[in-house]
Amino acid sequence: MKRIRTGIPGFDNLIEGGFISPGVYMVSGAPGAGKTTFGMHFLMEGVRSGERCLYMTLTEDPKNIIGAQYRFFPDLIEAVKEKDLLFADVNEVHQRKVREEISLPDRTLMMDVKPISGRDVISLIQGYVEDLGITRIVVDSLALIGFSSSVGESSHEALQKGMFVRILKELDLTVLLISEMLDPDRYSIEHYIVHGIVLLHHFLRNDKMMRALQIIKMRGTKHDDNLHPLAITPNGLSVGDSILKY
């Protein structure tokens, strides 16, 4: 059984050394909880291990992500220049396709475009894997792939999500899905079928905002589900050994 490290200090030892690879994992949390930085740790650790990695963004311009993450990862720019770390602007790819279909000028931005489908995202991933040998991927964010993750989702939406994750599992790579999760007691179909879930908390305690990490599940791995202190340091995220309480 192969395990790959995330490179996050204090986290890998909570999951017996790293994620089982290949596999599909999810990091969830509220905005500002540290999800993007978690994903960047995961990819940069792959780059340092000689892997080629991909960040798929459905929201933010890759330049903005690089600009925000460079402070934590000084070798990020070099990894991008050497094409060891690639960024796929999925929204731009989708907009370009729609523009071509309706003959709009290049770079025209449209607000009423339907979300990109899970099928199209899978197609993009397969292309990167086959053409460039990608082994680690971050998908940011799952909520924008055209199926809702809210309570009361239709059976068709649930089926789409299930097939999306199932197809990802069949690819020989390790995928980290980023998702928004404002209510830790509210789950959707994808939470049940991924191999592991990491929840990043950001809450108020004693008039002070606290950060914590919790491993909700991790198949094939001995772990606890306690809250561990999470810090954002000059070098990115760091997970403490102690256990927190709400």
Side-chain angles (χ1 to χ4, degrees):
M1 183 183 298
K2 178 183 176 183
R3 290 187 181 270
I4 59 173
R5 296 180 58 81
T6 67
I8 300 173
F11 176 70
D12 290 323
N13 63 340
L14 295 177
I15 55 171
E16 296 190 283
F19 291 140
I20 295 175
S21 180
V24 181
Y25 301 88
M26 179 178 292
V27 57
S28 296
K35 302 184 298 294
T36 299
T37 305
F38 190 106
M40 197 59 65
H41 269 290
F42 169 70
L43 296 182
M44 289 304 297
E45 183 67 16
V47 169
R48 295 170 188 140
S49 300
E51 300 177 55
R52 179 167 280 180
C53 305
L54 173 66
Y55 195 109
M56 301 188 76
T57 170
L58 287 88
T59 52
E60 196 70 61
D61 187 315
K63 292 180 181 178
N64 294 337
I65 297 174
I66 294 170
Q69 294 295 314
Y70 173 71
R71 60 181 297 189
F72 302 130
F73 308 97
D75 50 347
L76 174 58
I77 302 297
E78 185 65 22
V80 173
K81 287 181 178 178
E82 294 297 322
K83 297 184 178 180
D84 295 321
L85 175 59
L86 304 174
F87 283 82
D89 189 343
V90 179
N91 182 55
E92 172 56 26
V93 171
H94 185 47
Q95 292 250 347
R96 188 187 312 130
K97 179 180 177 182
V98 175
R99 286 195 299 267
E100 291 173 353
E101 290 175 350
I102 60 178
S103 301
L104 278 180
D106 192 31
R107 306 300 296 178
T108 301
L109 294 178
M110 297 164 289
M111 295 183 62
D112 56 350
V113 178
K114 291 182 179 180
I116 189 168
S117 69
R119 178 184 300 175
D120 286 342
V121 173
I122 290 291
S123 180
L124 285 172
I125 290 174
Q126 289 173 327
Y128 275 100
V129 172
E130 294 171 3
D131 297 341
L132 299 172
I134 298 295
T135 57
R136 297 191 189 201
I137 295 180
V138 167
V139 178
D140 182 10
S141 117
L142 185 65
L144 298 176
I145 301 182
F147 32 66
S148 171
S149 60
S150 62
V151 168
E153 64 187 348
S154 70
S155 58
H156 180 64
E157 289 170 337
L159 178 62
Q160 283 186 323
K161 289 180 183 180
M163 288 306 300
F164 178 79
V165 174
R166 182 173 178 177
I167 292 172
L168 288 179
K169 285 181 176 181
E170 294 177 354
L171 302 177
D172 189 24
L173 70 162
T174 309
V175 181
L176 181 64
L177 303 173
I178 291 179
S179 76
E180 305 295 330
M181 192 175 188
L182 302 180
D183 184 349
D185 296 321
R186 183 172 292 179
Y187 295 97
S188 188
I189 183 66
E190 67 271 18
H191 294 104
Y192 294 98
I193 58 180
V194 294
H195 292 104
I197 302 172
V198 178
L199 183 57
L200 304 185
H201 296 268
H202 197 199
F203 59 93
L204 183 66
R205 191 176 97 177
N206 298 328
D207 298 323
K208 183 180 179 181
M209 291 303 295
M210 304 288 293
R211 294 182 184 275
L213 177 147
Q214 183 180 24
I215 302 167
I216 302 298
K217 80 173 194 179
M218 198 65 57
R219 288 180 185 167
T221 300
K222 183 180 179 180
H223 67 280
D224 67 54
D225 57 2
N226 294 302
L227 292 176
H228 292 269
L230 179 68
I232 297 180
T233 76
N235 298 314
L237 301 180
S238 180
V239 181
D241 291 330
S242 60
I243 297 174
L244 294 176
K245 294 182 179 180
Y246 266 120

